[in-house]
Amino acid sequence: MLRVAVLASGRGSNFVALLEASRAAGAQFNVVGVYSDRADAGALKLAADAGLDTAHLDPRAYADRVGFDLALFERVLRVQPDLIVCAGYMRIISANALARLDVPMINIHPSLLPRYPGLNTHARALAAGDAEHGASVHVVTPELDAGPVIAQARIPIGHNDDAESLAARVLEQEHRLLPACVALYAKGQLQLDHAHVHLNGVQLSAPLQLHDGHLLLSEYT
Ligand code: GRF
């Protein structure tokens, strides 16, 4: 069983989706803990209620970003994760701390990267007049939301959409996309590094695409 640690700053719906998937028949991963920079993160309470290891570290208690990140990683590594998943983790992680981490880390981001790294992705997609929007799971690298993209889920943008309706529909996709990516990694089919994603040893030339709950090569979608 793959051991998954989650970093989260907010309500934790992606964490819950992952936890539920880990409890489904045949799942090959366990969520072993949730860690946060926010004492009030809903994800922490949900994880504690589920009996998981949890910790909150306050960034203000550390001299600088790298100090906080190293302390957080030290705490996370106690549960010996095979994979660290950022699920609504809203802090930038320092390059120095990341360089010393030898556990792969992935993130879910609510846009079709490389479009719209950072915040307010739904409003930005609308303002640009995009015909589609979605979510991406990518490898975490020192540059914000810029690591190689593993997989995406796409939705059409309708004439009546506003940022709120788009966010809700993208979130539904996130809840499918993230567990699907972790499940694929747990099966040993994904190889991740800071530059590339390989599927069964073959380098992906484009992100996998989520269709009916399955991750497909983009040429088959
Ligand atoms: C998600 O949209 C995630 O992609 C973004 O923040 C939101 C977190 O939602 N980075 P939740 O805390 O998982 O409910």
Side-chain angles (χ1 to χ4, degrees), residues 62-175:
Y62 298 85
D64 53 19
R65 185 176 294 278
V66 68
F68 171 81
D69 290 344
L70 290 173
L72 181 70
F73 289 169
E74 191 271 323
R75 180 65 186 79
V76 172
L77 291 177
R78 280 190 223 164
V79 293
Q80 300 185 305
D82 303 302
L83 179 69
I84 301 175
V85 174
C86 297
Y89 183 63
M90 301 308 283
R91 275 182 71 81
I92 292 172
I93 299 172
S94 61
N96 278 342
L98 215 45
R100 289 190 229 172
L101 182 71
D102 64 359
V103 177
M105 184 184 275
I106 63 173
N107 178 47
I108 179 133
H109 181 76
S111 80
L112 295 172
L113 291 171
R115 292 210 285 273
Y116 317 125
L119 298 175
N120 302 319
T121 58
H122 312 300
R124 287 157 71 197
L126 282 172
D130 290 354
E132 61 172 6
H133 186 41
S136 304
V137 171
H138 67 92
V139 179
V140 175
T141 61
E143 206 185 329
L144 183 68
D145 299 327
V149 179
I150 301 164
Q152 296 181 319
R154 320 179 88 87
I155 57 163
I157 297 182
H159 293 302
N160 296 325
D161 267 318
D162 57 19
E164 205 176 316
S165 67
L166 263 189
R169 276 170 41 240
V170 169
L171 191 64
E172 271 176 36
Q173 296 299 317
E174 293 182 43
H175 295 163

